Amino acid sequence: MTDSKYFTTTKKGEIFELKAELNSDKKEKKKEAVKKVIASMTVGKDVSALFPDVVNCMQTDNLELKKLVYLYLMNYAKSQPDMAIMAVNTFVKDCEDPNPLIRALAVRTMGCIRVDKITEYLCEPLRKCLKDEDPYVRKTAAVCVAKLHDINAQLVEDQGFLDTLKDLISDSNPMVVANAVAALSEIAESHPSSNLLDLNPQSINKLLTALNECTECGQIFILDCLANYTPKDDREAQSICERVTPRLSHANSAVVLSAVKVLMKFMEMLSKDLDYYGTLLKKLAPPLVTLLSAEPELQYVALRNINLIVQKRPEVLKHEMKVFFVKYNDPIYVKLEKLDIMIRLASQANIAQVLAELKEYATEVDVDFVRKAVRAIGRCAIKVEQSAERCVSTLLDLIQTKVNYVVQEAIVVIKDIFRKYPNKYESVIATLCENLDSLDEPEARAAMIWIVGEYAERIDNADELLESFLEGFHDESTQVQLQLLTAIVKLFLKKPTETQELVQQVLSLATQDSDNPDLRDRGYIYWRLLSTDPVAAKEVVLAEKPLISEETDLIEPTLLDELICYIGTLASVYHKPPSAFVEGGRGVVHKSLPPRTASSESTESPETAPAGAPPGEQLDAVPTQGDLLGDLLNLDLGPPVSGPPLAASAVQMGAVDLLGGGLDSLMGDEPEGIGAPSFVAPPAAAVPANLGAPMGSGLSDLFDLTSGVGTLSGSYVAPKAVWLPAMKAKGLEISGTFTRQAGTISMDLQLTNKALQVMTDFAIQFNRNSFGLAPAAPLQVHAPLSPTQTVEISLPLSTAGSVMKTEPLNSLQVAVKNNIDVFYFSTL
């Protein structure tokens, strides 16, 4: 009979019966009783009252009974710490048992009993087991050290267990080596500042030797450890790659992904001219393709990782397009991921094949998949210029199907194609206008409105089309309202005599009848522009637009480099760094790829502090005190209430004709601008009449040593330090220092955009601090900060802010906002 019988009993009052059986003299009866106790414990019954009776059963030679008792002990030791001390003598005795299985069992259970009172009694048995003659006992003891370190780190360090653990890396048994590496890695992750895994070429050689003989889990531990090592030069990187490459043919997908992670990281150090580099690229493709023949869940994990690899090195899988073609029985999450990778691999060589597939997908029944397929056709047109005409033709064929959601997605992507290839495919506009009435999704309506406004001069009834949208203006989404406002203003600037009434109607709706601040502000700007200088309005609103980029959904380079270091982990599935989803951030370190140049500087570990930070010091972006964090989160990031007025030109908007010509030049030769008198400027409150005199010229004033009283010509200015690394601020890097000139304190900032998108709407706020420092003026970045652009700003400070003592005294917490997010950092 099987052990299932122990789970079928429904008797009441059996605790007393079990107590009697546990104290029985018969070994078999005792074992049966312990099994019943474990069964009750497993189904959630409280059998802690039997703790002393079960512990008495530890004194046995029967291995099965001992395992059951140890299982019970692990479960209830925390709730019965005083009783658990009774088991210490048995642990000590079992650690010297002739049977290595019992010695290992004892040391494993010791590590699982998380009770502070008994940990100090377990040090001596653990020390003996770490030096045991049997490798099975040593490998179990190695993991026990990591568990003990989690309970009492100081005790482990004082007892010298960490040094013993480091010695085990040189053990003759590969499984002992693997467990020692796993334990040290676990401890190092929870204590990033400690340099436990001090890897060098000798220890790396030992790990690579053990790699071939380990179990699957052991190989993963060792490969993950290798991924944290930075070779001293490209020759060492190549040597490691050669010895790791055989792992790519392993049957376990986790081992394969760990090996890919090591190779992807070390390839960064290899020159692309090397023959070996090309060989390595060819070797990476087959194992990744093989992963796609596994179960759907594994396929999805593999695809998410492949997505990262393709973004970093598309040449790895450029000849493997067919494996990413969707199968009819793929789950939707696999289909969507395959589609994404297909677009990333699309090139002139395979575009015909890809488009044929995508057109088939657009006729599927799954709505989400069809939408993504239609968008993919548009992305192909933008990415591969030679295919644009074929893509547009395919999209028109899909529009002719009259399937509502297909038509709407097609219009959205055609808008992007117009942005990429202006004045090339506008002949299709008539076909698009035919489907205007069927559009009910905000994004599709907004795209159609943009097309009508942008090409109003080519559409005879553009005013009628836009007026039809205007009838339900307040029922539209914000996206559509904003687009409609801009489109009608464009139409007016192109056909002023016919659309004057229409533009006044939309401006009135936007500024007087709307509660949306974005819509109202845009309405006021257009109103002011049109009433002051229509030529300037024409230059602004009808300005030539930059072409849209080929890949708008690429992960930004700094984040991509970090995610490559996390291939095979949850971070590679979420496409987010661990700090974004690991609560508390304990043990989370930022990793990056090694530099390509084989200089001496490349010997630092990937987990070191960001560039610009002092060696060994991690920048703490958010203060640890709860009240300080609370203050930062409740900050009002608007401009300061007090302080000098906004630095700007003293010329009132509208006082001069910015570009000359006025409305006359817009309308032609008419002596009096039609529409000019009817435009009344918005209320004075909308735009300040006088924005104040210009402030000083910023940084140049700092070196004007002839002005001001008591200026120290030789005053020291600390060099700028990186206060906020790009990887912590979604691509925004902030460096800075403080200066004092003629009694005025300034914060000199350098903002660098390392993201793929433009940054705007900057604001800054300080937390309460020991010196009452606060910005004396808003943070002014006069133009949008484009990708790779750097701007220098000098921010004047006042000492009239709120004062609160901080620890340390010179700590200053800062919050900076832009159009992406709010970021916190400390200047200390």
Side-chain angles (χ1 to χ4, degrees), residues 529-541:
L529 272 170
L530 292 170
S531 62
T532 307
D533 188 350
V535 174
K538 199 166 188 176
E539 291 291 331
V540 171
V541 180

Side-chain angles (χ1 to χ4, degrees), residues 29 116 460 487 514 538 654 724 758:
K29 202 167 187 180
D116 290 332
D460 296 333
S514 174
K538 199 166 188 176
L724 184 64
V758 174

